[in-house]
């Protein structure tokens, strides 16, 4: 492919003149301009966009860090991110970490090396000091409560959301309540754990460690939880399930095993995924698509640090 | 941030010397090398990766065009693509088109402008001439049968796959068979349509236009199909459902409406998504994760045009 020097040679002008024509600079005679345009036409010259980026310093790429590319929670979030990015003329670079710290660091290095304009971290494992260090190189936006940390974020008050769901179960007469969670570390999980402990204390219920099910992310994990509950001599009567996907797995398994929902086991899902509507699962709706859109708006407005809290909402269906 | 000129000034050396140190060039005295390294340390200089890309001509980015970022079919494909990209040290740029031709052209322009090294098109709307034109700028790999078109691809023989599923239904005594599809255009859909017509001809069954359900992509679409079938005076007794997601929606809806599966209505899904296993849906397995991995291998080996056909496989469960 011809480069700028080839074009200059073909048009019999200087490299500077070619550059001026490419950048619509006014001080070029019409004659020379035409010669350059003809040479470009002839040679099929393509403006090297990386060169353009060097001068503007912008890539119009936003990095999106997420642990799994194929999970419905992140699916809805990425749907919002992708749509808003499209609107603002950005493309997104998907960086799947599987919660491997080195991969998250590679993503942060992309920001440092100006390969992306901004980074959205949907779920994090690096510590705050690391993020603070990298935020000097470019905009980092998170999907968890970052108030007091000087990093922008879009988040749900997971403490309040969990407490609301627990109070709803209490109002229906439940006292033996457990929960399923994707991972026990991370800001969101810590907030949920606090809400759970405060709820137990308020009602004077004991903390039963086997009522808490970790690593629950996919449909199949719901099946596993039901199997564990079936083995218990004093099982929970209700479960908060932090993923509708897992809740759907539990409903399907209960149906197979003739465990009546909600009589024998009540369930509250989270997110309000399409499957929750279809299977009539009571759920705490989280507006993930809108949150994804907001993350992009924050990521591209890197001047101000903003903390945008979104509301979750209980949707009553048939599993409580 | 300091640039290469600032570093040269700080170290009291020429720009060429700084460049040599950055590129590990041997002809630099240890004294000057140390001065440059100290200046870099002091100024927190970052090598501009876009500049590096200019010299190597590589971005280590692969563009991935897909109509919807949040659909389980593309979810599995992207899972494979993302994992293999990670292995080969590439990142992926997700380009969601919603089947808008202009967005597909924008992705092709990214290839033309060297913003990405290669493009994978998971589902296409541009015509062959357009793709052929853009393939002169870089590697384009498709997820449909491209034999004879001089573009690499990873694909399933959808004719054979559809015919196998139809023959299985015939062997179970079905003669009134319909199918659900995401869209009627595209190579894959055309192959399926041919298989369906040839099957009808082979068994002398009439072509019933209302047995074909278009725009079936999501869980909710399955519900809609069941509603339409319920209204028919002479409904099909079996349906090929080209997405397990839609099949799951149909199973859930039939359960609510007391339509017995497989007695009243038999179903064969496609893909073998986790939901098909969980809901015991008979399905044609398509190895989407492996296909995604293969697409990346082809995209990054742009020297040879290869056509890699993968096999689908019937998994018998409880819906036929």
């Amino acid at each position: 492919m011809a480069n700028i020097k080839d074009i200059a040679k073909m048009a019999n002008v200087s490299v500077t003149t070619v550059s001026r024509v490419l950048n619509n600079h006014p001080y070029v005679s019409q004659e020379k301009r035409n010669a350059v345009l003809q040479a470009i036409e002839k040679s099929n010259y393509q403006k090297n966009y990386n060169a353009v980026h060097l001068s503007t310093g912008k890539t119009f790429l936003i990095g999106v860090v997420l642990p799994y590319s194929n999970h419905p929670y992140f699916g809805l979030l990425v749907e919002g991110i992708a749509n808003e990015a499209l609107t603002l003329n950005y493309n997104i670079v998907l960086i799947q970490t599987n919660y491997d710290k080195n991969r998250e660091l590679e993503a942060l290095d992309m920001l440092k090396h100006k390969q992306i304009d901004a980074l959205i971290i949907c779920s994090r494992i690096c510590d705050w000091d690391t993020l603070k260090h990298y935020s000097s190189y470019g905009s980092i936006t998170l999907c968890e409560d970052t108030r007091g940390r000087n990093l922008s974020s879009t988040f749900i008050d997971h403490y309040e959301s969990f407490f609301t769901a627990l109070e709803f179960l209490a109002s229906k007469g439940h006292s033996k309540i457990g929960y399923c969670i994707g991972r026990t570390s991370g800001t969101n999980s810590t907030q949920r754990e606090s809400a759970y402990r405060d709820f137990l204390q308020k009602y004077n219920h004991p903390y039963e460690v086997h009522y808490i099910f970790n690593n629950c992310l996919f449909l199949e994990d719901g099946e596993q939880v039901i199997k564990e509950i079936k083995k218990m001599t004093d099982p929970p009567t209700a479960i908060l399930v932090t993923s509708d996907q897992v809740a759907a797995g539990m409903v399907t398994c209960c149906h197979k095993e003739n465990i009546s929902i909600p009589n024998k086991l009540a369930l509250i899902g989270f997110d309000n995924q399409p499957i929750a509507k279809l299977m009539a699962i009571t759920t705490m709706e989280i507006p993930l698509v809108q949150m994804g859109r907001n993350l992009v708006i924050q990521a591209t407005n890197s001047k101000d640090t903003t903390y945008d809290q979104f509301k979750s909402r209980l949707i009553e269906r048939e599993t409580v």
Side-chain angles (χ1 to χ4, degrees), chain A:
Chain A
M1 182 183 295
N3 66 22
I4 195 164
K5 282 184 196 165
D6 301 328
I7 301 292
K9 210 172 164 184
M10 285 166 74
N12 201 20
V13 299
S14 70
V15 167
T16 312
T17 303
V18 178
S19 169
R20 282 185 174 161
V21 173
L22 287 174
N23 293 297
N24 286 317
H25 197 286
Y27 303 124
V28 184
S29 74
Q30 195 57 46
E31 194 189 343
K32 284 190 181 175
R33 189 181 298 276
N34 287 344
V36 170
L37 292 175
Q38 274 170 26
I40 287 173
E41 183 78 9
K42 232 192 255 173
S43 71
N44 212 3
Y45 171 81
Q46 284 309 320
K47 201 167 173 178
N48 184 321
Y49 270 62
N50 288 318
V52 171
H53 294 156
L54 266 182
S55 62
T56 64
K58 282 196 81 168
T59 61
F60 289 97
L61 293 174
I62 299 173
V64 179
V65 166
L66 70 185
Y68 319 106
S69 61
N70 190 20
H71 186 277
Y73 173 89
F74 297 108
L76 285 176
L77 210 51
V78 170
E79 186 182 324
I81 290 171
N83 286 326
E84 189 64 29
L86 207 63
T87 308
L88 298 179
N89 232 339
Y90 279 81
N91 277 301
I92 63 173
V93 179
L94 217 60
I95 303 146
Q96 186 181 326
T97 64
N98 304 335
Y99 284 128
D100 175 339
K101 197 176 174 174
N102 287 327
R103 295 181 186 168
E104 198 165 306
L105 287 169
E106 278 170 31
L108 289 161
D109 277 332
M110 289 184 75
L111 187 68
K112 185 170 171 175
H113 299 143
K114 307 286 170 200
Q115 294 174 285
I116 50 178
D117 293 346
L119 191 63
I120 293 171
I121 302 182
C122 297
S123 187
R124 162 187 68 93
I125 44 165
C126 279
D127 57 30
W128 293 110
D129 285 343
T130 306
L131 294 183
K132 198 146 285 175
H133 167 71
Y134 278 97
S135 70
S136 65
Y137 299 111
S139 144
I140 298 176
T141 311
L142 293 153
C143 198
E144 63 188 279
D145 190 347
T146 58
R147 284 174 292 188
R149 303 237 180 235
N150 209 26
L151 289 166
S152 286
S153 62
T154 295
F155 63 99
I156 289 284
D157 184 340
H158 283 289
Y159 181 96
E160 193 206 10
S161 174
F162 228 54
F163 214 96
T164 303
L166 288 164
E167 288 281 18
F168 179 68
L169 289 173
S171 77
K172 297 285 181 179
H174 292 281
S175 59
K176 296 175 188 173
I177 305 172
Y179 73 88
C180 302
I181 197 124
R183 56 170 190 159
T184 47
S185 54
T187 306
N188 297 346
S189 299
T190 309
Q191 288 181 347
R192 285 161 161 173
E193 166 87 13
S194 297
Y196 184 68
R197 286 191 181 268
D198 288 353
F199 169 82
L200 293 181
Q201 198 167 33
K202 176 178 172 188
Y203 287 93
N204 240 330
H205 297 323
Y207 183 91
E208 302 282 0
V209 70
H210 57 291
Y211 283 7
I212 296 163
F213 305 88
N214 193 12
N215 300 317
C216 291
L217 282 162
F218 299 100
L219 274 170
E220 309 86 286
D221 299 323
E223 217 170 347
Q224 200 51 45
V225 170
I226 297 299
K227 276 181 192 160
E228 283 180 45
I229 288 176
K230 272 188 74 180
K231 280 188 266 173
M232 292 181 191
T233 49
D234 190 27
T237 61
I239 309 265
L240 292 193
V241 192
T242 57
S243 152
D244 281 332
Q245 205 65 10
V246 176
M250 292 171 76
V251 169
T252 309
C253 187
C254 284
H255 187 71
K256 272 192 249 173
E257 305 263 355
N258 283 318
I259 297 168
S260 166
I261 292 177
N263 302 333
K264 191 83 178 166
L265 186 68
L267 297 176
I268 298 183
F270 277 76
D271 296 353
N272 196 28
Q273 296 272 356
I275 204 170
K277 192 180 171 202
L278 194 78
M279 299 180 87
I281 297 169
T282 297
T283 195
M284 291 298 293
E285 183 184 48
I286 298 182
L288 289 165
V289 175
Q290 294 97 297
M291 288 172 74
R293 288 188 166 278
N294 198 66
L295 283 165
V296 172
I297 292 167
Q298 289 178 302
T300 53
N301 279 328
S302 53
K303 278 178 203 156
D304 309 306
T305 302
T306 50
Y307 312 105
D308 295 341
Q309 185 171 311
F310 280 66
K311 280 255 164 251
S312 64
R313 172 174 82 98
L314 179 72
I315 299 181
E316 287 190 53
R317 293 196 181 109
E318 297 168 15
T319 57
V320 174

